[in-house]
Amino acid sequence: MERGVIELAHQLQAGLMYLKTQNVFPAEIFYNCVDTIRYSIEENRKAFLLALSLLREEVEWVRHSIQATSYLADMLLIRDPHSPYIRETLLGALMHNLGKPLLVGPKIPTLKSNMTPAQKAILADHRSALLNKINNIEWNPSEICSTIIKKSDKSNKNHKETDIEDKIYEFIDIFLVVKEVNKLMHSRNGTPPLPPISAYRKVHEEGKQINKSLLVEYIQIYGLYPIGSLAKYSGGYLAWIKDIDKKGIPNKVKVVKNLKFPDATFNSDLNEKDLSQIGKLEEVVTPSDFGIKAPRL
């Protein structure tokens, strides 16, 4: 499963290369990414959610695009696995950030550095950059796909320009929740990541365009200790969360470090009956704060 996630990242970057340098829309590549995400969830949902944490070291736009699209897919499949709108919705979600790397050039040399106000203004129009690129290469996205790209921003949410069914706008509302939570739980432009509970609270308090009932639904599904998070236990142990129970409490982890013995190496899987060995669950922590890379699954 982890190899498939890394391949997803490579495929998405390859798709960007074709779009940016060869002026062709690599539909097969992008649809393959979408289908791989759906197949992975249907095959082994929890293993896929864990594997998504491997993308911590990837380029920011790649990590965010794949993780946000995957969590959107997961929520949509939980709601209705037979919906005919899912594939095109996921394509739009996967592409919604492609305008940012398309804008990298003389005016914006890199997406990694702190930007000037002028650069931020250019980047803010990244959806238009993507849609203009698509129009110039004469690829016609479906109405669902183009709507997801256009509306996957809080500032645009209430401006309906098409007659597309209300269901798609509900999908967009879900996507907005997923995107905001994902942004806050990862470092961006020098801003440190927030633990899940703090991210949820911030989205609830500051997300004026966020559907609060969908935020509650998100929390109910993924909990305060999401799969793929790094948890700290009272015994000084750090462990990747591999599974959670119905109450959202980790019941399967991979121990990778004991803070009392910083030079020691750990790689031990523990199930629910063995978790008492490492103490009580305290909190979700940021891996980089402890020099821990993406998990070896």
Side-chain angles (χ1 to χ4, degrees), residues 230-239 255-261 266 270 275-280 282-283 285:
L230 186 67
K232 182 176 179 293
Y233 286 80
S234 60
Y237 291 91
L238 299 180
V255 179
V256 292
K257 191 165 189 172
N258 186 337
L259 298 177
K260 297 177 182 178
F261 305 97
F266 293 82
L270 295 181
L275 286 176
S276 60
Q277 298 176 20
I278 60 176
K280 294 183 179 179
E282 292 187 340
E283 60 182 339
V285 296

mmCIF file with all atom_site columns, all heavy atoms in Angstrom, residues 230-239 255-261 266 270 275-280 282-283 285:
data_model
loop_
_atom_site.group_PDB
_atom_site.id
_atom_site.type_symbol
_atom_site.label_atom_id
_atom_site.label_alt_id
_atom_site.label_comp_id
_atom_site.label_asym_id
_atom_site.label_entity_id
_atom_site.label_seq_id
_atom_site.pdbx_PDB_ins_code
_atom_site.Cartn_x
_atom_site.Cartn_y
_atom_site.Cartn_z
_atom_site.occupancy
_atom_site.B_iso_or_equiv
_atom_site.pdbx_formal_charge
_atom_site.auth_seq_id
_atom_site.auth_comp_id
_atom_site.auth_asym_id
_atom_site.auth_atom_id
_atom_site.pdbx_PDB_model_num
ATOM 1   N N   . LEU A 1 230 ? 1.361  10.708 14.927 1.00 0.00 ? 230 LEU A N   1
ATOM 2   C CA  . LEU A 1 230 ? 2.359  10.261 15.885 1.00 0.00 ? 230 LEU A CA  1
ATOM 3   C C   . LEU A 1 230 ? 1.865  10.586 17.286 1.00 0.00 ? 230 LEU A C   1
ATOM 4   O O   . LEU A 1 230 ? 1.597  11.750 17.603 1.00 0.00 ? 230 LEU A O   1
ATOM 5   C CB  . LEU A 1 230 ? 3.705  10.950 15.627 1.00 0.00 ? 230 LEU A CB  1
ATOM 6   C CG  . LEU A 1 230 ? 4.889  10.468 16.476 1.00 0.00 ? 230 LEU A CG  1
ATOM 7   C CD1 . LEU A 1 230 ? 5.255  9.022  16.128 1.00 0.00 ? 230 LEU A CD1 1
ATOM 8   C CD2 . LEU A 1 230 ? 6.094  11.389 16.295 1.00 0.00 ? 230 LEU A CD2 1
ATOM 9   N N   . ALA A 1 231 ? 1.740  9.573  18.124 1.00 0.00 ? 231 ALA A N   1
ATOM 10  C CA  . ALA A 1 231 ? 1.199  9.746  19.474 1.00 0.00 ? 231 ALA A CA  1
ATOM 11  C C   . ALA A 1 231 ? 2.302  9.631  20.517 1.00 0.00 ? 231 ALA A C   1
ATOM 12  O O   . ALA A 1 231 ? 3.250  8.857  20.366 1.00 0.00 ? 231 ALA A O   1
ATOM 13  C CB  . ALA A 1 231 ? 0.127  8.700  19.752 1.00 0.00 ? 231 ALA A CB  1
ATOM 14  N N   . LYS A 1 232 ? 2.165  10.411 21.578 1.00 0.00 ? 232 LYS A N   1
ATOM 15  C CA  . LYS A 1 232 ? 3.100  10.351 22.707 1.00 0.00 ? 232 LYS A CA  1
ATOM 16  C C   . LYS A 1 232 ? 2.391  9.665  23.882 1.00 0.00 ? 232 LYS A C   1
ATOM 17  O O   . LYS A 1 232 ? 1.240  9.996  24.208 1.00 0.00 ? 232 LYS A O   1
ATOM 18  C CB  . LYS A 1 232 ? 3.545  11.751 23.098 1.00 0.00 ? 232 LYS A CB  1
ATOM 19  C CG  . LYS A 1 232 ? 4.562  11.790 24.240 1.00 0.00 ? 232 LYS A CG  1
ATOM 20  C CD  . LYS A 1 232 ? 5.013  13.218 24.488 1.00 0.00 ? 232 LYS A CD  1
ATOM 21  C CE  . LYS A 1 232 ? 6.014  13.289 25.631 1.00 0.00 ? 232 LYS A CE  1
ATOM 22  N NZ  . LYS A 1 232 ? 5.396  12.926 26.937 1.00 0.00 ? 232 LYS A NZ  1
ATOM 23  N N   . TYR A 1 233 ? 3.099  8.736  24.494 1.00 0.00 ? 233 TYR A N   1
ATOM 24  C CA  . TYR A 1 233 ? 2.563  7.995  25.636 1.00 0.00 ? 233 TYR A CA  1
ATOM 25  C C   . TYR A 1 233 ? 3.335  8.354  26.905 1.00 0.00 ? 233 TYR A C   1
ATOM 26  O O   . TYR A 1 233 ? 4.500  8.782  26.848 1.00 0.00 ? 233 TYR A O   1
ATOM 27  C CB  . TYR A 1 233 ? 2.637  6.488  25.368 1.00 0.00 ? 233 TYR A CB  1
ATOM 28  C CG  . TYR A 1 233 ? 1.594  6.022  24.377 1.00 0.00 ? 233 TYR A CG  1
ATOM 29  C CD1 . TYR A 1 233 ? 1.782  6.186  23.009 1.00 0.00 ? 233 TYR A CD1 1
ATOM 30  C CD2 . TYR A 1 233 ? 0.401  5.437  24.809 1.00 0.00 ? 233 TYR A CD2 1
ATOM 31  C CE1 . TYR A 1 233 ? 0.811  5.779  22.091 1.00 0.00 ? 233 TYR A CE1 1
ATOM 32  C CE2 . TYR A 1 233 ? -0.575 5.029  23.909 1.00 0.00 ? 233 TYR A CE2 1
ATOM 33  C CZ  . TYR A 1 233 ? -0.360 5.205  22.547 1.00 0.00 ? 233 TYR A CZ  1
ATOM 34  O OH  . TYR A 1 233 ? -1.323 4.804  21.663 1.00 0.00 ? 233 TYR A OH  1
ATOM 35  N N   . SER A 1 234 ? 2.684  8.177  28.037 1.00 0.00 ? 234 SER A N   1
ATOM 36  C CA  . SER A 1 234 ? 3.249  8.621  29.311 1.00 0.00 ? 234 SER A CA  1
ATOM 37  C C   . SER A 1 234 ? 4.557  7.928  29.663 1.00 0.00 ? 234 SER A C   1
ATOM 38  O O   . SER A 1 234 ? 5.352  8.457  30.445 1.00 0.00 ? 234 SER A O   1
ATOM 39  C CB  . SER A 1 234 ? 2.234  8.404  30.438 1.00 0.00 ? 234 SER A CB  1
ATOM 40  O OG  . SER A 1 234 ? 1.895  7.024  30.552 1.00 0.00 ? 234 SER A OG  1
ATOM 41  N N   . GLY A 1 235 ? 4.801  6.768  29.103 1.00 0.00 ? 235 GLY A N   1
ATOM 42  C CA  . GLY A 1 235 ? 6.053  6.072  29.363 1.00 0.00 ? 235 GLY A CA  1
ATOM 43  C C   . GLY A 1 235 ? 7.229  6.647  28.605 1.00 0.00 ? 235 GLY A C   1
ATOM 44  O O   . GLY A 1 235 ? 8.349  6.126  28.694 1.00 0.00 ? 235 GLY A O   1
ATOM 45  N N   . GLY A 1 236 ? 6.984  7.721  27.848 1.00 0.00 ? 236 GLY A N   1
ATOM 46  C CA  . GLY A 1 236 ? 8.034  8.353  27.073 1.00 0.00 ? 236 GLY A CA  1
ATOM 47  C C   . GLY A 1 236 ? 8.151  7.833  25.659 1.00 0.00 ? 236 GLY A C   1
ATOM 48  O O   . GLY A 1 236 ? 9.062  8.210  24.921 1.00 0.00 ? 236 GLY A O   1
ATOM 49  N N   . TYR A 1 237 ? 7.229  6.987  25.268 1.00 0.00 ? 237 TYR A N   1
ATOM 50  C CA  . TYR A 1 237 ? 7.284  6.373  23.940 1.00 0.00 ? 237 TYR A CA  1
ATOM 51  C C   . TYR A 1 237 ? 6.527  7.214  22.910 1.00 0.00 ? 237 TYR A C   1
ATOM 52  O O   . TYR A 1 237 ? 5.489  7.819  23.221 1.00 0.00 ? 237 TYR A O   1
ATOM 53  C CB  . TYR A 1 237 ? 6.683  4.967  23.972 1.00 0.00 ? 237 TYR A CB  1
ATOM 54  C CG  . TYR A 1 237 ? 7.502  3.967  24.742 1.00 0.00 ? 237 TYR A CG  1
ATOM 55  C CD1 . TYR A 1 237 ? 7.277  3.758  26.103 1.00 0.00 ? 237 TYR A CD1 1
ATOM 56  C CD2 . TYR A 1 237 ? 8.508  3.222  24.122 1.00 0.00 ? 237 TYR A CD2 1
ATOM 57  C CE1 . TYR A 1 237 ? 8.033  2.836  26.832 1.00 0.00 ? 237 TYR A CE1 1
ATOM 58  C CE2 . TYR A 1 237 ? 9.262  2.302  24.831 1.00 0.00 ? 237 TYR A CE2 1
ATOM 59  C CZ  . TYR A 1 237 ? 9.020  2.118  26.181 1.00 0.00 ? 237 TYR A CZ  1
ATOM 60  O OH  . TYR A 1 237 ? 9.782  1.205  26.884 1.00 0.00 ? 237 TYR A OH  1
ATOM 61  N N   . LEU A 1 238 ? 7.060  7.193  21.688 1.00 0.00 ? 238 LEU A N   1
ATOM 62  C CA  . LEU A 1 238 ? 6.378  7.783  20.540 1.00 0.00 ? 238 LEU A CA  1
ATOM 63  C C   . LEU A 1 238 ? 6.000  6.651  19.603 1.00 0.00 ? 238 LEU A C   1
ATOM 64  O O   . LEU A 1 238 ? 6.806  5.744  19.346 1.00 0.00 ? 238 LEU A O   1
ATOM 65  C CB  . LEU A 1 238 ? 7.280  8.768  19.808 1.00 0.00 ? 238 LEU A CB  1
ATOM 66  C CG  . LEU A 1 238 ? 7.782  9.978  20.606 1.00 0.00 ? 238 LEU A CG  1
ATOM 67  C CD1 . LEU A 1 238 ? 8.674  10.849 19.727 1.00 0.00 ? 238 LEU A CD1 1
ATOM 68  C CD2 . LEU A 1 238 ? 6.624  10.804 21.153 1.00 0.00 ? 238 LEU A CD2 1
ATOM 69  N N   . ALA A 1 239 ? 4.771  6.701  19.088 1.00 0.00 ? 239 ALA A N   1
ATOM 70  C CA  . ALA A 1 239 ? 4.297  5.601  18.247 1.00 0.00 ? 239 ALA A CA  1
ATOM 71  C C   . ALA A 1 239 ? 3.366  6.120  17.169 1.00 0.00 ? 239 ALA A C   1
ATOM 72  O O   . ALA A 1 239 ? 2.526  6.995  17.421 1.00 0.00 ? 239 ALA A O   1
ATOM 73  C CB  . ALA A 1 239 ? 3.563  4.563  19.099 1.00 0.00 ? 239 ALA A CB  1
ATOM 74  N N   . VAL A 1 255 ? 5.644  1.465  17.633 1.00 0.00 ? 255 VAL A N   1
ATOM 75  C CA  . VAL A 1 255 ? 6.535  2.234  18.505 1.00 0.00 ? 255 VAL A CA  1
ATOM 76  C C   . VAL A 1 255 ? 7.843  2.504  17.769 1.00 0.00 ? 255 VAL A C   1
ATOM 77  O O   . VAL A 1 255 ? 8.464  1.581  17.231 1.00 0.00 ? 255 VAL A O   1
ATOM 78  C CB  . VAL A 1 255 ? 6.813  1.474  19.814 1.00 0.00 ? 255 VAL A CB  1
ATOM 79  C CG1 . VAL A 1 255 ? 7.768  2.276  20.695 1.00 0.00 ? 255 VAL A CG1 1
ATOM 80  C CG2 . VAL A 1 255 ? 5.517  1.200  20.560 1.00 0.00 ? 255 VAL A CG2 1
ATOM 81  N N   . VAL A 1 256 ? 8.254  3.778  17.744 1.00 0.00 ? 256 VAL A N   1
ATOM 82  C CA  . VAL A 1 256 ? 9.468  4.143  17.012 1.00 0.00 ? 256 VAL A CA  1
ATOM 83  C C   . VAL A 1 256 ? 10.514 4.838  17.873 1.00 0.00 ? 256 VAL A C   1
ATOM 84  O O   . VAL A 1 256 ? 11.669 4.969  17.450 1.00 0.00 ? 256 VAL A O   1
ATOM 85  C CB  . VAL A 1 256 ? 9.136  5.038  15.798 1.00 0.00 ? 256 VAL A CB  1
ATOM 86  C CG1 . VAL A 1 256 ? 8.382  4.257  14.749 1.00 0.00 ? 256 VAL A CG1 1
ATOM 87  C CG2 . VAL A 1 256 ? 8.343  6.275  16.228 1.00 0.00 ? 256 VAL A CG2 1
ATOM 88  N N   . LYS A 1 257 ? 10.132 5.274  19.076 1.00 0.00 ? 257 LYS A N   1
ATOM 89  C CA  . LYS A 1 257 ? 11.121 5.980  19.890 1.00 0.00 ? 257 LYS A CA  1
ATOM 90  C C   . LYS A 1 257 ? 10.722 5.972  21.364 1.00 0.00 ? 257 LYS A C   1
ATOM 91  O O   . LYS A 1 257 ? 9.530  5.985  21.690 1.00 0.00 ? 257 LYS A O   1
ATOM 92  C CB  . LYS A 1 257 ? 11.267 7.437  19.410 1.00 0.00 ? 257 LYS A CB  1
ATOM 93  C CG  . LYS A 1 257 ? 12.453 8.178  20.007 1.00 0.00 ? 257 LYS A CG  1
ATOM 94  C CD  . LYS A 1 257 ? 12.742 9.450  19.223 1.00 0.00 ? 257 LYS A CD  1
ATOM 95  C CE  . LYS A 1 257 ? 14.046 10.073 19.676 1.00 0.00 ? 257 LYS A CE  1
ATOM 96  N NZ  . LYS A 1 257 ? 14.445 11.203 18.813 1.00 0.00 ? 257 LYS A NZ  1
ATOM 97  N N   . ASN A 1 258 ? 11.731 5.951  22.238 1.00 0.00 ? 258 ASN A N   1
ATOM 98  C CA  . ASN A 1 258 ? 11.548 6.165  23.666 1.00 0.00 ? 258 ASN A CA  1
ATOM 99  C C   . ASN A 1 258 ? 12.380 7.384  24.029 1.00 0.00 ? 258 ASN A C   1
ATOM 100 O O   . ASN A 1 258 ? 13.610 7.366  23.911 1.00 0.00 ? 258 ASN A O   1
ATOM 101 C CB  . ASN A 1 258 ? 12.002 4.942  24.460 1.00 0.00 ? 258 ASN A CB  1
ATOM 102 C CG  . ASN A 1 258 ? 11.693 5.071  25.942 1.00 0.00 ? 258 ASN A CG  1
ATOM 103 O OD1 . ASN A 1 258 ? 11.545 6.187  26.458 1.00 0.00 ? 258 ASN A OD1 1
ATOM 104 N ND2 . ASN A 1 258 ? 11.600 3.956  26.640 1.00 0.00 ? 258 ASN A ND2 1
ATOM 105 N N   . LEU A 1 259 ? 11.724 8.432  24.474 1.00 0.00 ? 259 LEU A N   1
ATOM 106 C CA  . LEU A 1 259 ? 12.412 9.688  24.745 1.00 0.00 ? 259 LEU A CA  1
ATOM 107 C C   . LEU A 1 259 ? 13.423 9.565  25.886 1.00 0.00 ? 259 LEU A C   1
ATOM 108 O O   . LEU A 1 259 ? 14.321 10.398 26.008 1.00 0.00 ? 259 LEU A O   1
ATOM 109 C CB  . LEU A 1 259 ? 11.383 10.779 25.065 1.00 0.00 ? 259 LEU A CB  1
ATOM 110 C CG  . LEU A 1 259 ? 10.404 11.112 23.923 1.00 0.00 ? 259 LEU A CG  1
ATOM 111 C CD1 . LEU A 1 259 ? 9.386  12.135 24.372 1.00 0.00 ? 259 LEU A CD1 1
ATOM 112 C CD2 . LEU A 1 259 ? 11.151 11.599 22.702 1.00 0.00 ? 259 LEU A CD2 1
ATOM 113 N N   . LYS A 1 260 ? 13.288 8.530  26.696 1.00 0.00 ? 260 LYS A N   1
ATOM 114 C CA  . LYS A 1 260 ? 14.244 8.307  27.782 1.00 0.00 ? 260 LYS A CA  1
ATOM 115 C C   . LYS A 1 260 ? 15.554 7.722  27.257 1.00 0.00 ? 260 LYS A C   1
ATOM 116 O O   . LYS A 1 260 ? 16.593 7.804  27.906 1.00 0.00 ? 260 LYS A O   1
ATOM 117 C CB  . LYS A 1 260 ? 13.636 7.368  28.827 1.00 0.00 ? 260 LYS A CB  1
ATOM 118 C CG  . LYS A 1 260 ? 12.396 7.935  29.510 1.00 0.00 ? 260 LYS A CG  1
ATOM 119 C CD  . LYS A 1 260 ? 11.808 6.925  30.480 1.00 0.00 ? 260 LYS A CD  1
ATOM 120 C CE  . LYS A 1 260 ? 10.531 7.473  31.140 1.00 0.00 ? 260 LYS A CE  1
ATOM 121 N NZ  . LYS A 1 260 ? 9.915  6.474  32.050 1.00 0.00 ? 260 LYS A NZ  1
ATOM 122 N N   . PHE A 1 261 ? 15.481 7.132  26.079 1.00 0.00 ? 261 PHE A N   1
ATOM 123 C CA  . PHE A 1 261 ? 16.663 6.536  25.447 1.00 0.00 ? 261 PHE A CA  1
ATOM 124 C C   . PHE A 1 261 ? 16.729 7.008  23.996 1.00 0.00 ? 261 PHE A C   1
ATOM 125 O O   . PHE A 1 261 ? 16.441 6.250  23.066 1.00 0.00 ? 261 PHE A O   1
ATOM 126 C CB  . PHE A 1 261 ? 16.595 5.004  25.518 1.00 0.00 ? 261 PHE A CB  1
ATOM 127 C CG  . PHE A 1 261 ? 16.406 4.473  26.910 1.00 0.00 ? 261 PHE A CG  1
ATOM 128 C CD1 . PHE A 1 261 ? 15.138 4.125  27.366 1.00 0.00 ? 261 PHE A CD1 1
ATOM 129 C CD2 . PHE A 1 261 ? 17.491 4.339  27.762 1.00 0.00 ? 261 PHE A CD2 1
ATOM 130 C CE1 . PHE A 1 261 ? 14.961 3.632  28.656 1.00 0.00 ? 261 PHE A CE1 1
ATOM 131 C CE2 . PHE A 1 261 ? 17.325 3.840  29.056 1.00 0.00 ? 261 PHE A CE2 1
ATOM 132 C CZ  . PHE A 1 261 ? 16.063 3.500  29.502 1.00 0.00 ? 261 PHE A CZ  1
ATOM 133 N N   . PHE A 1 266 ? 13.603 1.811  17.762 1.00 0.00 ? 266 PHE A N   1
ATOM 134 C CA  . PHE A 1 266 ? 12.450 0.945  17.987 1.00 0.00 ? 266 PHE A CA  1
ATOM 135 C C   . PHE A 1 266 ? 11.680 0.774  16.687 1.00 0.00 ? 266 PHE A C   1
ATOM 136 O O   . PHE A 1 266 ? 11.613 1.686  15.866 1.00 0.00 ? 266 PHE A O   1
ATOM 137 C CB  . PHE A 1 266 ? 11.520 1.528  19.057 1.00 0.00 ? 266 PHE A CB  1
ATOM 138 C CG  . PHE A 1 266 ? 12.103 1.564  20.439 1.00 0.00 ? 266 PHE A CG  1
ATOM 139 C CD1 . PHE A 1 266 ? 12.955 2.585  20.825 1.00 0.00 ? 266 PHE A CD1 1
ATOM 140 C CD2 . PHE A 1 266 ? 11.804 0.571  21.360 1.00 0.00 ? 266 PHE A CD2 1
ATOM 141 C CE1 . PHE A 1 266 ? 13.499 2.625  22.094 1.00 0.00 ? 266 PHE A CE1 1
ATOM 142 C CE2 . PHE A 1 266 ? 12.339 0.596  22.633 1.00 0.00 ? 266 PHE A CE2 1
ATOM 143 C CZ  . PHE A 1 266 ? 13.193 1.624  23.009 1.00 0.00 ? 266 PHE A CZ  1
ATOM 144 N N   . LEU A 1 270 ? 2.418  -2.874 18.371 1.00 0.00 ? 270 LEU A N   1
ATOM 145 C CA  . LEU A 1 270 ? 1.689  -3.241 19.579 1.00 0.00 ? 270 LEU A CA  1
ATOM 146 C C   . LEU A 1 270 ? 0.196  -3.213 19.304 1.00 0.00 ? 270 LEU A C   1
ATOM 147 O O   . LEU A 1 270 ? -0.310 -2.289 18.657 1.00 0.00 ? 270 LEU A O   1
ATOM 148 C CB  . LEU A 1 270 ? 2.006  -2.279 20.730 1.00 0.00 ? 270 LEU A CB  1
ATOM 149 C CG  . LEU A 1 270 ? 3.441  -2.249 21.262 1.00 0.00 ? 270 LEU A CG  1
ATOM 150 C CD1 . LEU A 1 270 ? 3.538  -1.254 22.415 1.00 0.00 ? 270 LEU A CD1 1
ATOM 151 C CD2 . LEU A 1 270 ? 3.889  -3.624 21.711 1.00 0.00 ? 270 LEU A CD2 1
ATOM 152 N N   . LEU A 1 275 ? -0.741 -2.282 24.808 1.00 0.00 ? 275 LEU A N   1
ATOM 153 C CA  . LEU A 1 275 ? -0.487 -0.845 24.869 1.00 0.00 ? 275 LEU A CA  1
ATOM 154 C C   . LEU A 1 275 ? -0.170 -0.349 26.275 1.00 0.00 ? 275 LEU A C   1
ATOM 155 O O   . LEU A 1 275 ? 0.484  0.692  26.435 1.00 0.00 ? 275 LEU A O   1
ATOM 156 C CB  . LEU A 1 275 ? -1.685 -0.068 24.304 1.00 0.00 ? 275 LEU A CB  1
ATOM 157 C CG  . LEU A 1 275 ? -1.829 -0.108 22.781 1.00 0.00 ? 275 LEU A CG  1
ATOM 158 C CD1 . LEU A 1 275 ? -3.085 0.605  22.337 1.00 0.00 ? 275 LEU A CD1 1
ATOM 159 C CD2 . LEU A 1 275 ? -0.618 0.518  22.115 1.00 0.00 ? 275 LEU A CD2 1
ATOM 160 N N   . SER A 1 276 ? -0.612 -1.070 27.297 1.00 0.00 ? 276 SER A N   1
ATOM 161 C CA  . SER A 1 276 ? -0.323 -0.654 28.666 1.00 0.00 ? 276 SER A CA  1
ATOM 162 C C   . SER A 1 276 ? 1.183  -0.642 28.946 1.00 0.00 ? 276 SER A C   1
ATOM 163 O O   . SER A 1 276 ? 1.646  0.035  29.872 1.00 0.00 ? 276 SER A O   1
ATOM 164 C CB  . SER A 1 276 ? -1.024 -1.576 29.662 1.00 0.00 ? 276 SER A CB  1
ATOM 165 O OG  . SER A 1 276 ? -0.591 -2.916 29.489 1.00 0.00 ? 276 SER A OG  1
ATOM 166 N N   . GLN A 1 277 ? 1.952  -1.339 28.129 1.00 0.00 ? 277 GLN A N   1
ATOM 167 C CA  . GLN A 1 277 ? 3.403  -1.401 28.317 1.00 0.00 ? 277 GLN A CA  1
ATOM 168 C C   . GLN A 1 277 ? 4.079  -0.046 28.086 1.00 0.00 ? 277 GLN A C   1
ATOM 169 O O   . GLN A 1 277 ? 5.170  0.205  28.610 1.00 0.00 ? 277 GLN A O   1
ATOM 170 C CB  . GLN A 1 277 ? 4.019  -2.421 27.355 1.00 0.00 ? 277 GLN A CB  1
ATOM 171 C CG  . GLN A 1 277 ? 3.534  -3.849 27.546 1.00 0.00 ? 277 GLN A CG  1
ATOM 172 C CD  . GLN A 1 277 ? 4.105  -4.784 26.489 1.00 0.00 ? 277 GLN A CD  1
ATOM 173 O OE1 . GLN A 1 277 ? 5.121  -4.466 25.861 1.00 0.00 ? 277 GLN A OE1 1
ATOM 174 N NE2 . GLN A 1 277 ? 3.478  -5.931 26.295 1.00 0.00 ? 277 GLN A NE2 1
ATOM 175 N N   . ILE A 1 278 ? 3.447  0.823  27.301 1.00 0.00 ? 278 ILE A N   1
ATOM 176 C CA  . ILE A 1 278 ? 4.073  2.112  26.980 1.00 0.00 ? 278 ILE A CA  1
ATOM 177 C C   . ILE A 1 278 ? 3.400  3.287  27.695 1.00 0.00 ? 278 ILE A C   1
ATOM 178 O O   . ILE A 1 278 ? 3.746  4.442  27.460 1.00 0.00 ? 278 ILE A O   1
ATOM 179 C CB  . ILE A 1 278 ? 4.102  2.355  25.457 1.00 0.00 ? 278 ILE A CB  1
ATOM 180 C CG1 . ILE A 1 278 ? 2.692  2.365  24.860 1.00 0.00 ? 278 ILE A CG1 1
ATOM 181 C CG2 . ILE A 1 278 ? 4.951  1.299  24.765 1.00 0.00 ? 278 ILE A CG2 1
ATOM 182 C CD1 . ILE A 1 278 ? 2.671  2.690  23.372 1.00 0.00 ? 278 ILE A CD1 1
ATOM 183 N N   . GLY A 1 279 ? 2.466  2.981  28.574 1.00 0.00 ? 279 GLY A N   1
ATOM 184 C CA  . GLY A 1 279 ? 1.830  4.027  29.357 1.00 0.00 ? 279 GLY A CA  1
ATOM 185 C C   . GLY A 1 279 ? 0.513  4.504  28.774 1.00 0.00 ? 279 GLY A C   1
ATOM 186 O O   . GLY A 1 279 ? -0.055 3.883  27.872 1.00 0.00 ? 279 GLY A O   1
ATOM 187 N N   . LYS A 1 280 ? 0.040  5.628  29.299 1.00 0.00 ? 280 LYS A N   1
ATOM 188 C CA  . LYS A 1 280 ? -1.232 6.188  28.864 1.00 0.00 ? 280 LYS A CA  1
ATOM 189 C C   . LYS A 1 280 ? -1.034 7.122  27.671 1.00 0.00 ? 280 LYS A C   1
ATOM 190 O O   . LYS A 1 280 ? -0.038 7.837  27.586 1.00 0.00 ? 280 LYS A O   1
ATOM 191 C CB  . LYS A 1 280 ? -1.891 6.945  30.015 1.00 0.00 ? 280 LYS A CB  1
ATOM 192 C CG  . LYS A 1 280 ? -2.316 6.061  31.188 1.00 0.00 ? 280 LYS A CG  1
ATOM 193 C CD  . LYS A 1 280 ? -3.021 6.880  32.253 1.00 0.00 ? 280 LYS A CD  1
ATOM 194 C CE  . LYS A 1 280 ? -3.467 5.990  33.408 1.00 0.00 ? 280 LYS A CE  1
ATOM 195 N NZ  . LYS A 1 280 ? -4.152 6.779  34.472 1.00 0.00 ? 280 LYS A NZ  1
ATOM 196 N N   . GLU A 1 282 ? -1.176 10.304 25.676 1.00 0.00 ? 282 GLU A N   1
ATOM 197 C CA  . GLU A 1 282 ? -1.187 11.698 26.121 1.00 0.00 ? 282 GLU A CA  1
ATOM 198 C C   . GLU A 1 282 ? -1.659 12.664 25.036 1.00 0.00 ? 282 GLU A C   1
ATOM 199 O O   . GLU A 1 282 ? -2.599 13.440 25.250 1.00 0.00 ? 282 GLU A O   1
ATOM 200 C CB  . GLU A 1 282 ? 0.215  12.107 26.593 1.00 0.00 ? 282 GLU A CB  1
ATOM 201 C CG  . GLU A 1 282 ? 0.639  11.402 27.877 1.00 0.00 ? 282 GLU A CG  1
ATOM 202 C CD  . GLU A 1 282 ? 1.948  11.923 28.434 1.00 0.00 ? 282 GLU A CD  1
ATOM 203 O OE1 . GLU A 1 282 ? 2.727  12.555 27.662 1.00 0.00 ? 282 GLU A OE1 1
ATOM 204 O OE2 . GLU A 1 282 ? 2.210  11.718 29.629 1.00 0.00 ? 282 GLU A OE2 1
ATOM 205 N N   . GLU A 1 283 ? -1.023 12.617 23.879 1.00 0.00 ? 283 GLU A N   1
ATOM 206 C CA  . GLU A 1 283 ? -1.357 13.599 22.850 1.00 0.00 ? 283 GLU A CA  1
ATOM 207 C C   . GLU A 1 283 ? -0.760 13.199 21.510 1.00 0.00 ? 283 GLU A C   1
ATOM 208 O O   . GLU A 1 283 ? 0.095  12.323 21.430 1.00 0.00 ? 283 GLU A O   1
ATOM 209 C CB  . GLU A 1 283 ? -0.805 14.974 23.243 1.00 0.00 ? 283 GLU A CB  1
ATOM 210 C CG  . GLU A 1 283 ? 0.709  14.979 23.419 1.00 0.00 ? 283 GLU A CG  1
ATOM 211 C CD  . GLU A 1 283 ? 1.252  16.325 23.863 1.00 0.00 ? 283 GLU A CD  1
ATOM 212 O OE1 . GLU A 1 283 ? 0.559  17.340 23.655 1.00 0.00 ? 283 GLU A OE1 1
ATOM 213 O OE2 . GLU A 1 283 ? 2.369  16.356 24.402 1.00 0.00 ? 283 GLU A OE2 1
ATOM 214 N N   . VAL A 1 285 ? 1.621  14.448 18.545 1.00 0.00 ? 285 VAL A N   1
ATOM 215 C CA  . VAL A 1 285 ? 2.745  15.383 18.463 1.00 0.00 ? 285 VAL A CA  1
ATOM 216 C C   . VAL A 1 285 ? 3.223  15.519 17.018 1.00 0.00 ? 285 VAL A C   1
ATOM 217 O O   . VAL A 1 285 ? 2.854  14.727 16.144 1.00 0.00 ? 285 VAL A O   1
ATOM 218 C CB  . VAL A 1 285 ? 3.911  14.925 19.365 1.00 0.00 ? 285 VAL A CB  1
ATOM 219 C CG1 . VAL A 1 285 ? 3.491  14.931 20.833 1.00 0.00 ? 285 VAL A CG1 1
ATOM 220 C CG2 . VAL A 1 285 ? 4.399  13.528 18.959 1.00 0.00 ? 285 VAL A CG2 1
#
